[in-house]
Amino acid sequence: MSAAPYVLIAIPIAIFAWAYVAYPLTLWVVSRARSVPRTHPDPAVWPFISITVPAYNEAARIRSTVECLLEIDYPADRRQILIVSDASSDDTDRIIGEYAQRGVELHRVPVRGGKTAAENAAAASLRGEIVVNTDASIRVLPAAVKALVRAFQDPTVGVASGRDVSVDDAAAANRGESGYVGYEMWVRDLETRLGGIIGASGSFYAVRAAVQRTVLREDLARDFASALIARRLGLRAVSVPDAQCIVPVTPSLRAEARRKARTMAQGLETLRYGASLMNPVRHGGFAFKLASHKLARWLVYLSAPLAVIGVAWLALSSRVALGLFAALVLGILLGIAAMRWPAGKRVPLPVAMAGFALASTVGGLRAWMLAARRKRLPMWEPTRRAALPD
């Protein structure tokens, strides 16, 4: 028997094992010799901050988002709340106008150009020395902003990323997302103990003004790029466990596949933008993290079809391989069933897990195809997450 099918199977398994098991295990082992990053005390005077929320047709939930931000534990005279409307065509702008007397500002971009383009356009309206970026679909806990801002008392910190707390319906088809988010937050904590993270959480993160005002191409992801910009400025990005925000899961697996394709395609372009930072001679541990945490994970999706081909090849002459191939087909069928599951109906856990794996893989492969075609995705279609309870 040729070794070719075994090689096809081994490639994605090896990449997956490194990205999701060996890499975090390496971080954990090395971090045991490092002390837990200390928590800084409150500053004598809280710095002036800008809290910015990009929004496109968010009339259904922008009111609750603004009310949440107005209730955060931060001196009102030391913060600016700026909603950046990307040429919204619904009642988003009118609703924001209702809060003008309470200090909430609106920056309307007249022609829709996408999230990053809107952030570029709004940069001149930001007055804070620290800029807190958040999203209309999430809820920032009252103490979270101060927790982020405290991190900047360390002059080496240029980016502080919050902790996503994923919430879902126990019967939802996409409940596998919550487990993945928890795993991701754990890895970021380990990276922080070893110097810093290589990308912030798009849901909730803060940056120094110099990082925010860097103009980016419209098809790049600012949350990821911010850590790269900070590195080039001689600063680092960290994860702040106490800076928590509530993030509802994507409402359906098909929506999750679309979200994965969009965010990963932007991530691949952003990685291309920061490719020089993958030079291990010049950037050492940062380059190692960037290659392991980002590139290796994304290569899992690109290489996944090789495993299917390899198993199918072996199944022609091996009963064991035939059984494994049948299991793969069953998993794919369960994933398809999960993606087509009627809304509101309880999804069995094995079906939900198969669905999350399939949606992620389909989205990842789609992202690689977009990257291969150099198809830019500047236009922003916000993920319409489930509503949070009052």
Side-chain angles (χ1 to χ4, degrees):
M1 169 65 69
S2 168
Y6 294 100
V7 173
L8 292 176
I9 295 170
I11 290 173
I13 290 177
I15 297 172
F16 179 92
W18 172 255
Y20 288 98
V21 182
Y23 168 63
L25 182 59
T26 300
L27 294 177
W28 182 82
V29 170
V30 177
S31 70
R32 307 314 293 168
R34 304 289 182 91
S35 59
V36 176
R38 67 187 180 93
T39 301
H40 294 279
D42 290 355
V45 178
W46 288 100
F48 192 86
I49 65 171
S50 293
I51 303 173
T52 179
V53 183
Y56 171 68
N57 286 356
E58 295 286 5
R61 55 189 175 186
I62 196 65
R63 191 184 302 278
S64 62
T65 300
V66 172
E67 291 286 354
C68 172
L69 294 176
L70 288 169
E71 293 174 2
I72 63 170
D73 179 20
Y74 202 87
D77 63 341
R78 304 298 295 166
R79 55 109 172 107
Q80 170 194 23
I81 298 177
L82 181 70
I83 312 300
V84 183
S85 174
D86 187 21
S88 295
S89 57
D90 63 358
D91 282 341
T92 297
D93 297 0
R94 181 189 61 78
I95 294 171
I96 298 307
E98 296 174 7
Y99 290 89
Q101 296 301 315
R102 298 176 67 181
V104 179
E105 301 173 26
L106 171 68
H107 182 106
R108 176 176 174 81
V109 180
V111 178
R112 189 178 176 216
K115 182 178 181 180
T116 301
E119 291 171 331
N120 288 337
S125 298
L126 300 172
R127 303 193 302 275
E129 58 187 279
I130 293 170
V131 180
V132 178
N133 296 279
T134 186
D135 186 86
S137 65
I138 66 104
R139 180 176 297 167
V140 176
L141 297 188
V145 170
K146 279 187 175 179
L148 277 188
V149 173
R150 284 190 196 100
F152 292 95
Q153 292 191 81
D154 182 340
T156 70
V157 171
V159 179
S161 181
R163 176 176 292 273
D164 296 353
V165 179
S166 183
V167 295
D168 60 15
D169 181 344
N174 196 26
R175 63 185 185 270
E177 183 181 340
S178 293
Y180 180 80
V181 168
Y183 165 84
E184 172 68 11
M185 295 299 107
W186 172 67
V187 172
R188 290 185 187 184
D189 286 346
L190 293 176
E191 290 177 336
T192 296
R193 291 182 66 173
L194 296 175
I197 59 177
I198 44 79
S201 169
S203 299
F204 182 49
Y205 68 103
V207 300
R208 295 192 186 274
V211 175
Q212 185 76 20
R213 292 196 174 97
T214 300
V215 176
L216 294 175
R217 255 181 25 217
E218 300 91 44
D219 59 328
L220 302 185
R222 186 171 293 275
D223 51 350
F224 179 17
S226 290
L228 308 182
I229 295 166
R231 175 73 185 187
R232 287 171 172 164
L233 293 174
L235 302 170
R236 62 195 183 98
V238 298
S239 181
V240 183
D242 293 337
Q244 296 187 355
C245 66
I246 307 301
V247 183
V249 298
T250 312
S252 74
L253 287 168
R254 278 179 280 188
E256 172 63 18
R258 292 192 297 270
R259 184 198 68 82
K260 184 75 173 183
R262 173 176 55 83
T263 59
M264 187 176 139
Q266 288 183 323
L268 286 166
E269 284 301 317
T270 307
L271 184 63
R272 194 194 307 270
Y273 161 82
S276 63
L277 297 172
M278 293 181 68
N279 182 338
V281 176
R282 294 188 60 188
H283 299 285
F286 188 88
F288 170 72
K289 293 174 186 176
L290 194 56
S292 299
H293 192 144
K294 292 294 187 182
L295 182 59
R297 284 194 190 184
W298 293 336
L299 286 173
V300 170
Y301 301 112
L302 183 63
S303 64
L306 299 180
V308 177
I309 295 170
V311 172
W313 191 341
L314 289 177
L316 298 174
S317 57
S318 167
R319 290 185 178 180
V320 173
L322 182 61
L324 182 57
F325 183 72
L328 282 173
V329 172
L330 177 60
I332 292 171
L333 292 175
L334 288 175
I336 293 172
M339 293 182 74
R340 296 178 175 273
W341 205 270
K345 298 290 186 179
R346 182 176 180 83
V347 184
L349 182 59
V351 177
M353 298 306 292
F356 181 71
L358 181 63
S360 298
T361 303
V362 169
L365 287 171
R366 171 65 174 160
W368 275 107
M369 288 189 287
L370 291 170
R373 292 161 51 195
R374 297 303 303 273
K375 184 175 178 59
R376 294 188 174 184
L377 297 173
M379 199 54 66
W380 175 38
E381 189 58 45
T383 301
R384 306 299 179 183
R385 296 182 181 272
L388 284 165
D390 294 329

